Amino acid sequence: MKMTKSVKNILNNYESDNAGTKGNLARILMHGKLAGTGKLVILPVDQGYEHGPARSFSPNPEAYDPHYHYKLAIDAGLNAYAAPLGMLEAGADTFAGQIPTILKLNSANSLATLKDQAVHGSIEDALKLGCLAIGFTIYPGSEFQFEMMEELKELALEAKSLGLVVVVWSYPRGGNLSKEGETAMDVCAYAAHIAALLGAHIIKVKPPTAHIEQKDAQASYKNLDISTLSNRVKHVMQSSFNNRRIVVFSGNAFTDTQGLLNDIKEIRDGGGNGSIIGRNTFQRPREEAIAMLNQVIDIYKGKN
Amino acid sequence: MKMTKSVKNILNNYESDNAGTKGNLARILMHGKLAGTGKLVILPVDQGYEHGPARSFSPNPEAYDPHYHYKLAIDAGLNAYAAPLGMLEAGADTFAGQIPTILKLNSANSLATLKDQAVHGSIEDALKLGCLAIGFTIYPGSEFQFEMMEELKELALEAKSLGLVVVVWSYPRGGNLSKEGETAMDVCAYAAHIAALLGAHIIKVKPPTAHIEQKDAQASYKNLDISTLSNRVKHVMQSSFNNRRIVVFSGNAFTDTQGLLNDIKEIRDGGGNGSIIGRNTFQRPREEAIAMLNQVIDIYKGKN
Amino acid sequence: MKMTKSVKNILNNYESDNAGTKGNLARILMHGKLAGTGKLVILPVDQGYEHGPARSFSPNPEAYDPHYHYKLAIDAGLNAYAAPLGMLEAGADTFAGQIPTILKLNSANSLATLKDQAVHGSIEDALKLGCLAIGFTIYPGSEFQFEMMEELKELALEAKSLGLVVVVWSYPRGGNLSKEGETAMDVCAYAAHIAALLGAHIIKVKPPTAHIEQKDAQASYKNLDISTLSNRVKHVMQSSFNNRRIVVFSGNAFTDTQGLLNDIKEIRDGGGNGSIIGRNTFQRPREEAIAMLNQVIDIYKGKN
Amino acid sequence: MKMTKSVKNILNNYESDNAGTKGNLARILMHGKLAGTGKLVILPVDQGYEHGPARSFSPNPEAYDPHYHYKLAIDAGLNAYAAPLGMLEAGADTFAGQIPTILKLNSANSLATLKDQAVHGSIEDALKLGCLAIGFTIYPGSEFQFEMMEELKELALEAKSLGLVVVVWSYPRGGNLSKEGETAMDVCAYAAHIAALLGAHIIKVKPPTAHIEQKDAQASYKNLDISTLSNRVKHVMQSSFNNRRIVVFSGNAFTDTQGLLNDIKEIRDGGGNGSIIGRNTFQRPREEAIAMLNQVIDIYKGKN
Amino acid sequence: MKMTKSVKNILNNYESDNAGTKGNLARILMHGKLAGTGKLVILPVDQGYEHGPARSFSPNPEAYDPHYHYKLAIDAGLNAYAAPLGMLEAGADTFAGQIPTILKLNSANSLATLKDQAVHGSIEDALKLGCLAIGFTIYPGSEFQFEMMEELKELALEAKSLGLVVVVWSYPRGGNLSKEGETAMDVCAYAAHIAALLGAHIIKVKPPTAHIEQKDAQASYKNLDISTLSNRVKHVMQSSFNNRRIVVFSGNAFTDTQGLLNDIKEIRDGGGNGSIIGRNTFQRPREEAIAMLNQVIDIYKGKN
């Protein structure tokens, strides 16, 4: 398939990047069923690290096997598959060249007492495993946020100089943030903006709610209609360099399919670039997951 | 345009610097409508990082687009444009060679609980983006001030050895400082002096008030008339190696135009080298901002 | 002895590893009385470091001599011997080529006030001492867990690139974990999973109990029968990439022989790859220890 | 398009390579009109370097423009495009992600007095330009051959460790070789074998003639029928680790189309993996070149 | 199998080496049918590089396949298999851990005009491929001998520090040496001695003739009976630090079996450590080769 105008236009926004990074970004955008549309769906599987194996995989025990996720991403025609080191190592050779992969370089876990993450992978690992991108989480608000941003700075600089794409999970957490505040409109837009300022190529945020967390920000939202998710997504895109950066939205905990699909429609209508959906896919039987992902893909294709 | 005596005299003050750094300093001083005057106006856009996107850009939504600021700085005939990594990356190629740029290497954000900043850019980034200078904030007074100064030491050493200019935002904050103390006469002069001692080529401070914060300093100010801003600016310049270092003054939060212009006149009359004005420019419509910047420039040209 | 299918199948699971690492893994699996079975028994002697010499060796004073442990591992026909730097240095030449060795790179000690470990060996040490593997402990849950994981990241990357095997002791400890929680079913499976995600080739965990520590995890275990150790081991293996990683179980503090052998049978029946038994061996007289290890080996050979 | 068995089987032959290199090899084999067939056609444009611009491009002056060759390779549906540094730099951004590229790292030129080449590109260049492979020429027989092989050793080691593919142009030349000997059966098979021994993933040789150059080798060819090109290609493949390495054959100087197509058929029938055709394509008008390449591709697809 | 006294005694001679190198030397000596005897037979396959593929493999075309040689060495129960980079890469994963391998780091070829070799592999390659030793050829007498020795110096130092064994092919050639002189008694003993002085652990020489090449050396051989090969081997062993270094003797070009076996007996009787036999094995049918190797092994076991 030849490169489309949609993809070419997106690449043009990454004007400081070398051809290596643009090429890898193109490979992600030109892969799978959404190839060429400028939209993308990514399968992330770091929940085993974040929440533990049983909480993640017991609903669908086949998912304990790392090969399961490679196959799911390939067979569902997704754009990319993201996971931590060991998960990718366990299938890197079998599936080499079959699906763009993203090496998630840091993770937290539910035994942790600190709002930080461990950096457990490197750029060299990413190149050896044939990954096209690295993934990194920051927790804006946390008392470790500056340290995390500094780790990202080093990794992103090296990644970009070697032609890799940088995906930033920007998840506000800790500090003075309330639980509700973690997904507040102002905080989510802020998180996306910070990720863009840190040089992310692809930004992952949670779908924002209509809540405004920061007192100082309330005035700025008075004249903005954020009553619908699509409008909120629109504001996140605006905050991501006026649509110059790719933003994908997470699916979060397992929800009913219809609710998820409605959210996807709003993300699409708000101009979001796509979704990164983990638990909602691998926690249901494979055939059901593929069917649901097909529906998601159809929405991004504009069919619904 | 040939180099002027004013600029040559300024360059002569930086006597330990290599020709690379002097050349870049000259490029900043010889650019825009103030070229050759020894005065300068810089557009800084890190408020998205510091205060969030909506608080920064919703008053003038075109400003969500990173290209907007490049164009504004170019069209208003400013000397330089300063911003964090992602902001410059998003326009570095389009505007290469059109306006001197300063890579702001660290930032705080309004979700933070610590009076510190994240270092999110590097000297290598600055060179790749074609920047002539780096920018770095220190918080004299904060419990993180020494760490910040040590970070600056490493970055400034590397920057200078590669011919870059070092701009230091010296913003007293934290520790035992009262809110009023952050802009006190003694504290502001102290902040400028510390920046000069840390090897800054260009120092950015806030316009000082007549308040004296430190008890031990009060005696020293008894015989100094600091009742006018111009006198206070004069004392800041004196504290910056007796005018051997360039000092620019910030504009802070959005204020009425006349108030701002009056301040500029006093800065000029006190011997300040210029202004670094963010929110007061990009939070108003483009044409209005350019008109105002023209008035500022005219003041520094001595026309008013 | 020619390589067996069992061993070949295990090697195939390590698909991202180079031939150097696979070869050393094969050497461990093809050594001793269990050679070729895909099962393994390792002698670890870091208790002197962890608990002090008298607590470790006074029950059997011959064990104060580092040569004692080399000989024990060789004469009992074990697969490998693991110890910290000095312990291996003291016998490396005498026993070169006689038993695969694992250099334990970090250790805690009972004088410590922090739930962390000192990294006291390097990859270069391992190669000079002729070790086939490195060993490293992480404490999931501890406030130092992220730091430990980051240390492991660096060491594992270097080890793998030079053909060494990486053995991870994954011992939950500290933070909010109760004492009982350290060996809880959910926590143990989580610990094994994290080690696999960090890229371990061989994972060492403690045999789990039926306790569930994390409230959020309880629902996931409702439909899983974890009443027997063999079932719990099965779940650990499942959590270790669905049996794609080798997992060995520790023997813990000195227990009665029959209890230990019963445990070994359950580990075998649950599909565990073997045992790593320290105090239960070297704290009894040599002949008794060898007899007991023979019984353990016979169980893994399926004779009981 | 999903990966085919043909491609998977080829990848399996590269058993010491990491997933990065296998993935990039897969990307080359899964690109263009021959995607998935295990056959490949590559456009090389280093003739400007080797023979000068007028000799190379005056027959078809559009070919003076580096973009011309990118477009030709893309529009003809080839697997990859190979060229020296400047040639790729001139189009790397415009065509990022549209065609696999191979950075040719060394070249000779027709002004040279030595049978050697200059190394004029690096692995870092290759990654920045988004290349999936590096290309390197050796001259077996030349008095500089050992030096060239040592240069290749360094570059190949670095390339492989970072996931790049290594393509070796093995062109016997110099020393005691007669002109006829450069393409002799024994010498060509030897050249392919040496490239394989040096660790090449893809080997480029010239189609061999039935001449035997080396006296000591004549006996070995007594019982081998090398009267047809297809048989000679078969022997080259045999000499390339019994078909375990990909071998592509050059087209050499501009020849008549029918002669070229007949050669292609014989290469295919002999089990060769494909062709690398420069002058025969870009020295004729674009439409004619594309038509001819379509015929070549059809032959490799088995249609003729 | 437990380490034998014979092997232990040999290891003791390498008193400056670290446990890593001794361990790998032990692994070679404890492998295959001669395990534990202190004797060894190595299969070297670099003839394709040295003489070309057809001259090497056409007598037994199965030998074109790199896997053939791995299998031959394994099935014949040899101690080790030595080959250049590509040859090992092509089977390293399939046969990981099944046979000690030696990476031959340099080679000449029959197209060469210089009596030198190309260094085409590295220590890093050796570790990644799981090799226990490196192999390196020097040409004492050649005008390139000093350069070759200096290359060896660097490689041997690095190899030893990482626990690898160093095998030196010491083949006098070039300079003033007559063809007959290359295998002369004085020259062969000299070559072995130089290799020992360069720090070789295992020395490979050709079986010497009774010819004395150097005029200045003739007096020294007046009272030495070198009429039998066994006596000449004895002198080579004496010259190799009085039997403190392992010396293996090559088989050279294909000869009749009985002649070869007679030579082997004399090597054994002279105290030589073993043989390194290439063409005499892989140029005959596999079953015949294995039968012959069994005879060779039996001779070294003292059975004939």
Side-chain angles (χ1 to χ4, degrees):
Chain A
M1 185 186 184
K2 286 216 172 174
M3 183 168 290
T4 60
K5 273 210 172 165
S6 305
V7 170
K8 188 72 189 161
N9 288 343
I10 290 174
L11 294 184
N12 287 344
N13 285 330
Y14 294 87
E15 50 180 80
S16 70
D17 283 296
N18 60 32
T21 294
K22 284 189 187 175
N24 279 329
L25 194 53
R27 272 173 209 110
I28 293 170
L29 292 168
M30 296 302 295
H31 191 89
K33 292 181 180 164
L34 285 168
T37 61
K39 302 293 176 180
L40 68 168
V41 176
I42 297 171
L43 174 68
V45 188
D46 58 349
Q47 295 78 0
Y49 207 121
E50 297 278 336
H51 309 297
R55 279 175 65 195
S56 302
F57 306 129
S58 64
N60 177 30
E62 290 184 12
Y64 279 106
D65 186 342
H67 281 211
Y68 179 84
H69 304 284
Y70 272 101
K71 279 184 214 148
L72 181 63
I74 292 166
D75 293 344
L78 304 190
N79 295 73
Y81 166 49
L85 185 68
M87 207 75 171
L88 291 187
E89 285 182 331
D93 188 72
T94 301
F95 301 100
Q98 299 190 36
I99 176 90
T101 51
I102 300 166
L103 181 61
K104 186 75 195 331
L105 292 180
N106 65 345
S107 299
N109 62 61
S110 66
L111 304 173
T113 53
L114 305 172
K115 287 183 174 154
D116 192 8
Q117 295 210 337
V119 182
H120 46 56
S122 71
I123 302 303
E124 197 181 332
D125 285 316
L127 288 167
K128 286 191 175 167
L129 291 168
C131 299
L132 306 186
I134 58 162
F136 194 90
T137 295
I138 54 170
Y139 290 152
S142 158
E143 61 274 37
F144 292 95
Q145 64 166 330
F146 295 150
E147 211 177 287
M148 296 174 95
M149 289 167 183
E150 291 176 4
E151 288 164 350
L152 173 56
K153 175 199 65 174
E154 297 292 338
L155 291 166
L157 178 65
E158 190 185 353
K160 289 176 183 180
S161 76
L162 297 169
L164 295 174
V165 171
V166 177
V167 186
V168 174
W169 273 240
S170 195
Y171 281 7
R173 224 187 136 191
N176 301 321
L177 283 173
S178 69
K179 189 74 199 163
E180 205 186 357
E182 293 181 359
T183 51
M185 177 74 267
D186 59 326
V187 171
C188 177
Y190 202 165
H193 189 63
I194 284 175
L197 288 168
L198 292 172
H201 299 113
I202 299 177
I203 297 161
K204 182 195 173 185
V205 289
K206 294 184 185 172
T209 66
H211 174 63
I212 303 294
E213 172 82 356
Q214 298 170 286
K215 279 190 187 162
D216 291 349
Q218 281 171 343
S220 307
Y221 287 93
K222 266 194 183 146
N223 302 316
L224 202 67
D225 175 7
I226 55 168
S227 60
T228 62
L229 178 56
S230 64
N231 274 1
R232 296 192 293 270
V233 165
K234 211 168 165 181
H235 178 56
V236 170
M237 296 311 296
Q238 188 182 41
S239 299
S240 301
F241 291 174
N242 209 27
N243 301 294
R244 287 182 189 271
R245 293 294 172 261
I246 294 170
V247 183
V248 293
F249 293 82
S250 61
N252 295 330
F254 189 87
T255 54
D256 72 296
T257 304
Q258 203 45 56
L260 181 79
L261 295 177
N262 287 341
D263 279 7
I264 302 288
K265 277 180 206 165
E266 299 230 37
I267 291 166
R268 176 200 65 194
D269 293 343
N273 293 86
S275 291
I276 178 159
I277 316 178
R279 283 170 287 180
N280 276 293
T281 57
F282 65 70
Q283 291 188 342
R284 48 183 104 203
R286 182 182 145 86
E287 292 313 314
E288 206 181 294
I290 288 181
M292 189 209 69
L293 284 165
N294 272 334
Q295 288 179 287
V296 169
I297 285 167
D298 280 348
I299 291 169
Y300 281 120
K301 281 186 170 167
K303 291 190 183 165
N304 293 286
Chain B
M1 187 186 185
K2 284 212 176 175
M3 182 168 291
T4 61
K5 271 209 176 167
S6 305
V7 170
K8 187 69 189 161
N9 288 343
I10 290 173
L11 294 185
N12 287 345
N13 286 329
Y14 294 88
E15 48 181 80
S16 71
D17 282 296
N18 61 33
T21 294
K22 285 189 186 174
N24 280 327
L25 193 54
R27 272 174 209 108
I28 293 169
L29 292 167
M30 296 302 294
H31 190 89
K33 294 180 180 164
L34 285 168
T37 61
K39 302 292 177 183
L40 68 169
V41 177
I42 298 170
L43 173 66
V45 188
D46 58 349
Q47 295 77 3
Y49 207 120
E50 298 278 336
H51 310 297
R55 280 174 65 195
S56 302
F57 306 127
S58 64
N60 177 29
E62 289 183 14
Y64 279 107
D65 187 342
H67 281 211
Y68 179 85
H69 305 284
Y70 272 101
K71 280 184 212 146
L72 181 61
I74 292 166
D75 293 344
L78 304 190
N79 294 73
Y81 166 49
L85 185 68
M87 208 73 171
L88 291 188
E89 284 182 332
D93 189 70
T94 301
F95 301 100
Q98 298 188 39
I99 177 88
T101 52
I102 300 165
L103 181 60
K104 186 74 194 335
L105 292 181
N106 64 346
S107 299
N109 62 60
S110 66
L111 304 173
T113 54
L114 305 173
K115 287 185 174 153
D116 191 9
Q117 296 210 336
V119 183
H120 46 56
S122 70
I123 303 303
E124 196 181 333
D125 285 316
L127 289 168
K128 286 188 178 171
L129 292 167
C131 299
L132 305 185
I134 59 162
F136 195 89
T137 296
I138 54 171
Y139 290 152
S142 157
E143 61 273 38
F144 293 95
Q145 64 167 327
F146 295 151
E147 210 177 289
M148 296 175 94
M149 290 167 184
E150 290 175 4
E151 287 165 349
L152 173 56
K153 174 200 66 175
E154 297 291 339
L155 291 165
L157 178 64
E158 190 185 353
K160 290 175 182 179
S161 77
L162 296 168
L164 295 172
V165 171
V166 176
V167 186
V168 174
W169 274 240
S170 195
Y171 282 7
R173 222 187 137 192
N176 301 321
L177 282 173
S178 69
K179 190 72 199 164
E180 205 185 358
E182 293 180 0
T183 52
M185 178 72 267
D186 58 328
V187 171
C188 178
Y190 203 165
H193 190 65
I194 285 175
L197 288 169
L198 291 172
H201 300 113
I202 300 177
I203 297 161
K204 182 193 173 187
V205 289
K206 295 185 185 172
T209 66
H211 174 65
I212 303 294
E213 173 81 356
Q214 300 167 285
K215 280 192 185 162
D216 291 350
Q218 283 171 345
S220 308
Y221 284 94
K222 268 193 182 148
N223 302 317
L224 201 67
D225 175 6
I226 55 170
S227 60
T228 62
L229 177 55
S230 64
N231 273 2
R232 296 192 294 270
V233 164
K234 209 167 167 182
H235 177 57
V236 171
M237 296 312 295
Q238 189 180 41
S239 300
S240 301
F241 291 173
N242 208 27
N243 301 295
R244 285 183 189 270
R245 292 294 172 263
I246 296 170
V247 184
V248 293
F249 293 82
S250 62
N252 293 330
F254 189 87
T255 54
D256 72 297
T257 304
Q258 203 44 57
L260 181 78
L261 295 177
N262 288 342
D263 279 5
I264 302 290
K265 279 180 206 165
E266 299 229 37
I267 291 166
R268 177 198 63 194
D269 294 344
N273 293 86
S275 291
I276 178 159
I277 315 178
R279 282 171 287 181
N280 276 294
T281 57
F282 65 71
Q283 290 188 343
R284 48 183 104 203
R286 182 182 145 86
E287 292 315 313
E288 206 180 296
I290 289 180
M292 188 207 70
L293 285 166
N294 271 336
Q295 289 180 284
V296 169
I297 285 166
D298 281 347
I299 291 168
Y300 280 120
K301 281 186 170 168
K303 290 191 182 165
N304 293 286
Chain C
M1 184 184 183
K2 286 217 173 173
M3 184 168 290
T4 60
K5 272 209 172 166
S6 304
V7 170
K8 187 73 189 161
N9 288 343
I10 289 173
L11 294 184
N12 287 344
N13 284 329
Y14 294 87
E15 50 180 80
S16 70
D17 284 296
N18 61 31
T21 294
K22 284 188 186 175
N24 279 328
L25 194 52
R27 273 174 207 110
I28 294 170
L29 292 168
M30 295 303 295
H31 192 89
K33 293 181 181 165
L34 284 168
T37 61
K39 302 293 176 181
L40 68 169
V41 175
I42 298 171
L43 173 68
V45 188
D46 57 350
Q47 295 79 1
Y49 206 120
E50 297 278 334
H51 309 298
R55 277 176 65 196
S56 301
F57 305 129
S58 63
N60 177 30
E62 289 184 16
Y64 278 106
D65 185 343
H67 282 213
Y68 179 84
H69 304 284
Y70 272 102
K71 278 185 214 148
L72 180 62
I74 293 166
D75 293 344
L78 304 191
N79 295 72
Y81 166 49
L85 187 68
M87 206 75 170
L88 291 187
E89 285 182 333
D93 189 72
T94 301
F95 301 100
Q98 299 190 38
I99 176 89
T101 52
I102 300 166
L103 180 61
K104 186 74 195 334
L105 292 180
N106 66 344
S107 300
N109 61 59
S110 65
L111 306 173
T113 53
L114 304 173
K115 287 182 177 155
D116 192 8
Q117 296 211 335
V119 181
H120 45 54
S122 70
I123 303 304
E124 198 182 333
D125 286 317
L127 288 167
K128 286 191 175 167
L129 291 167
C131 299
L132 307 186
I134 58 162
F136 194 89
T137 295
I138 54 171
Y139 290 152
S142 158
E143 60 275 37
F144 293 95
Q145 63 165 331
F146 295 149
E147 212 177 286
M148 296 174 95
M149 290 168 183
E150 291 177 2
E151 289 164 349
L152 173 57
K153 175 199 65 173
E154 298 291 338
L155 291 166
L157 179 64
E158 190 186 353
K160 289 176 183 181
S161 76
L162 297 169
L164 294 173
V165 170
V166 177
V167 187
V168 174
W169 274 239
S170 196
Y171 282 7
R173 227 187 133 191
N176 300 321
L177 282 173
S178 68
K179 190 72 200 165
E180 204 187 358
E182 294 181 359
T183 52
M185 177 73 269
D186 59 325
V187 171
C188 178
Y190 202 164
H193 189 63
I194 284 176
L197 287 169
L198 292 172
H201 299 112
I202 299 177
I203 298 161
K204 182 194 174 186
V205 290
K206 295 184 185 171
T209 66
H211 173 63
I212 303 294
E213 172 82 356
Q214 298 168 287
K215 277 191 189 159
D216 291 347
Q218 282 171 342
S220 307
Y221 286 93
K222 267 193 184 146
N223 302 316
L224 202 67
D225 175 7
I226 54 169
S227 58
T228 62
L229 177 56
S230 64
N231 273 1
R232 295 192 293 271
V233 165
K234 211 168 165 181
H235 177 56
V236 171
M237 296 310 296
Q238 188 182 42
S239 300
S240 300
F241 292 173
N242 209 27
N243 300 294
R244 288 183 188 271
R245 293 294 172 261
I246 295 169
V247 183
V248 292
F249 294 81
S250 61
N252 295 330
F254 189 86
T255 53
D256 72 296
T257 304
Q258 201 47 53
L260 181 78
L261 296 178
N262 287 342
D263 279 6
I264 302 288
K265 278 180 206 167
E266 297 230 38
I267 291 167
R268 177 200 63 194
D269 293 343
N273 293 86
S275 291
I276 177 158
I277 315 178
R279 282 170 288 180
N280 277 292
T281 57
F282 64 72
Q283 291 188 343
R284 49 183 103 202
R286 180 181 148 88
E287 292 315 313
E288 204 181 297
I290 289 181
M292 187 209 69
L293 285 165
N294 271 335
Q295 288 180 286
V296 169
I297 286 166
D298 281 347
I299 291 169
Y300 281 120
K301 281 186 169 166
K303 290 191 183 166
N304 293 286
Chain D
M1 185 184 185
K2 287 216 173 173
M3 183 167 290
T4 60
K5 274 210 170 162
S6 305
V7 170
K8 188 72 189 160
N9 288 342
I10 290 173
L11 295 184
N12 287 344
N13 285 329
Y14 294 86
E15 51 180 77
S16 71
D17 284 296
N18 61 32
T21 293
K22 285 188 186 176
N24 280 329
L25 194 53
R27 272 172 210 111
I28 293 171
L29 293 168
M30 295 303 295
H31 191 90
K33 292 181 181 164
L34 284 168
T37 62
K39 303 292 176 181
L40 68 169
V41 176
I42 298 171
L43 174 67
V45 187
D46 56 351
Q47 296 78 3
Y49 206 121
E50 298 278 336
H51 310 297
R55 278 175 66 197
S56 301
F57 306 129
S58 63
N60 177 30
E62 290 184 15
Y64 279 105
D65 186 343
H67 281 212
Y68 180 83
H69 303 285
Y70 273 102
K71 279 184 213 147
L72 182 61
I74 292 166
D75 293 344
L78 304 190
N79 295 73
Y81 166 49
L85 186 69
M87 206 75 171
L88 291 187
E89 285 182 333
D93 188 72
T94 301
F95 301 100
Q98 299 190 37
I99 175 91
T101 52
I102 300 166
L103 181 61
K104 186 75 194 333
L105 292 181
N106 65 346
S107 299
N109 62 58
S110 64
L111 305 173
T113 54
L114 304 173
K115 286 182 176 154
D116 192 7
Q117 296 211 334
V119 182
H120 45 56
S122 70
I123 302 304
E124 197 182 333
D125 286 315
L127 288 168
K128 287 192 175 167
L129 291 167
C131 299
L132 307 186
I134 59 162
F136 194 90
T137 296
I138 53 170
Y139 290 152
S142 158
E143 59 274 39
F144 293 94
Q145 64 166 329
F146 294 150
E147 211 177 287
M148 296 174 94
M149 289 166 184
E150 291 176 4
E151 289 163 350
L152 173 56
K153 175 200 64 174
E154 297 292 339
L155 292 165
L157 178 64
E158 190 186 353
K160 289 175 184 181
S161 76
L162 297 169
L164 294 173
V165 171
V166 177
V167 186
V168 174
W169 273 239
S170 195
Y171 281 6
R173 223 186 137 193
N176 300 322
L177 282 173
S178 69
K179 190 72 199 164
E180 204 187 357
E182 293 181 359
T183 52
M185 177 72 269
D186 58 327
V187 172
C188 177
Y190 201 164
H193 189 64
I194 285 175
L197 287 169
L198 292 172
H201 299 113
I202 299 178
I203 297 162
K204 182 194 173 185
V205 290
K206 295 184 185 171
T209 65
H211 174 64
I212 302 294
E213 173 81 356
Q214 298 168 287
K215 278 190 186 162
D216 290 350
Q218 282 172 343
S220 307
Y221 286 93
K222 268 193 182 148
N223 300 316
L224 201 67
D225 175 7
I226 56 169
S227 60
T228 61
L229 178 55
S230 64
N231 274 0
R232 296 192 293 270
V233 165
K234 211 167 165 181
H235 177 56
V236 171
M237 297 309 296
Q238 187 181 42
S239 300
S240 301
F241 291 173
N242 209 27
N243 300 294
R244 287 183 188 271
R245 292 294 172 260
I246 294 170
V247 184
V248 293
F249 294 82
S250 62
N252 294 328
F254 189 86
T255 53
D256 72 297
T257 304
Q258 202 46 55
L260 181 78
L261 296 178
N262 287 342
D263 279 6
I264 302 288
K265 278 179 206 166
E266 299 229 36
I267 292 166
R268 176 200 64 193
D269 293 344
N273 293 85
S275 291
I276 177 158
I277 316 178
R279 282 171 287 181
N280 276 293
T281 56
F282 65 71
Q283 290 188 345
R284 49 184 102 202
R286 181 182 147 87
E287 292 314 313
E288 205 180 297
I290 289 180
M292 189 209 68
L293 284 166
N294 271 335
Q295 289 180 286
V296 169
I297 286 166
D298 281 348
I299 291 169
Y300 281 119
K301 281 186 170 167
K303 291 191 184 165
N304 293 285
Chain E
M1 184 185 184
K2 287 216 172 172
M3 183 168 290
T4 60
K5 274 210 170 163
S6 305
V7 170
K8 188 71 191 160
N9 288 342
I10 291 173
L11 294 184
N12 287 345
N13 285 329
Y14 294 87
E15 48 181 79
S16 72
D17 283 296
N18 61 31
T21 294
K22 285 190 185 174
N24 280 328
L25 194 52
R27 272 174 208 109
I28 293 170
L29 292 167
M30 296 302 295
H31 191 90
K33 292 180 179 164
L34 285 167
T37 62
K39 302 292 177 182
L40 69 169
V41 176
I42 297 171
L43 173 67
V45 188
D46 58 349
Q47 295 79 2
Y49 207 120
E50 297 278 336
H51 310 297
R55 281 174 66 195
S56 302
F57 306 127
S58 64
N60 177 30
E62 289 184 15
Y64 278 106
D65 186 343
H67 281 210
Y68 180 84
H69 304 284
Y70 273 100
K71 279 184 212 148
L72 181 62
I74 293 166
D75 293 344
L78 305 190
N79 294 74
Y81 166 49
L85 185 69
M87 208 74 170
L88 291 187
E89 285 182 331
D93 188 72
T94 301
F95 301 101
Q98 300 191 36
I99 176 90
T101 52
I102 301 166
L103 181 61
K104 186 73 194 332
L105 291 181
N106 65 345
S107 299
N109 62 61
S110 66
L111 304 172
T113 53
L114 305 172
K115 287 182 175 155
D116 191 8
Q117 296 210 336
V119 182
H120 45 55
S122 70
I123 303 303
E124 197 182 331
D125 285 316
L127 289 167
K128 286 190 176 168
L129 291 167
C131 300
L132 306 186
I134 58 162
F136 194 89
T137 296
I138 53 170
Y139 289 152
S142 157
E143 59 275 36
F144 292 95
Q145 64 167 326
F146 295 150
E147 210 177 287
M148 295 173 95
M149 290 167 183
E150 290 174 6
E151 289 165 349
L152 173 57
K153 173 200 65 174
E154 297 291 338
L155 291 166
L157 179 64
E158 191 186 353
K160 289 175 183 179
S161 77
L162 296 169
L164 294 173
V165 171
V166 177
V167 186
V168 175
W169 273 238
S170 194
Y171 282 7
R173 225 186 135 192
N176 300 322
L177 282 174
S178 68
K179 190 72 199 165
E180 204 185 358
E182 293 180 0
T183 52
M185 178 72 264
D186 58 327
V187 172
C188 177
Y190 202 164
H193 190 65
I194 285 174
L197 288 169
L198 291 172
H201 300 113
I202 299 178
I203 298 162
K204 181 195 174 185
V205 290
K206 294 184 185 172
T209 65
H211 174 65
I212 303 294
E213 173 82 357
Q214 300 166 286
K215 280 189 185 163
D216 291 351
Q218 282 172 343
S220 308
Y221 285 92
K222 267 192 184 149
N223 302 317
L224 201 67
D225 175 8
I226 56 169
S227 60
T228 62
L229 178 55
S230 64
N231 274 0
R232 295 192 294 271
V233 165
K234 210 167 166 181
H235 177 55
V236 170
M237 296 311 297
Q238 190 180 43
S239 301
S240 301
F241 292 174
N242 208 26
N243 300 295
R244 285 183 188 271
R245 291 295 171 261
I246 295 170
V247 184
V248 292
F249 294 82
S250 62
N252 294 330
F254 189 86
T255 55
D256 71 297
T257 305
Q258 202 45 55
L260 181 78
L261 296 178
N262 288 341
D263 279 7
I264 302 288
K265 278 180 206 166
E266 299 229 37
I267 292 166
R268 176 199 65 194
D269 293 344
N273 293 84
S275 291
I276 177 159
I277 315 178
R279 283 172 287 181
N280 277 292
T281 56
F282 64 72
Q283 290 188 344
R284 46 184 104 204
R286 181 182 145 89
E287 292 314 313
E288 206 180 295
I290 289 181
M292 188 208 70
L293 285 165
N294 271 334
Q295 289 180 287
V296 169
I297 287 166
D298 281 347
I299 292 170
Y300 281 119
K301 281 186 169 169
K303 292 191 183 165
N304 293 286

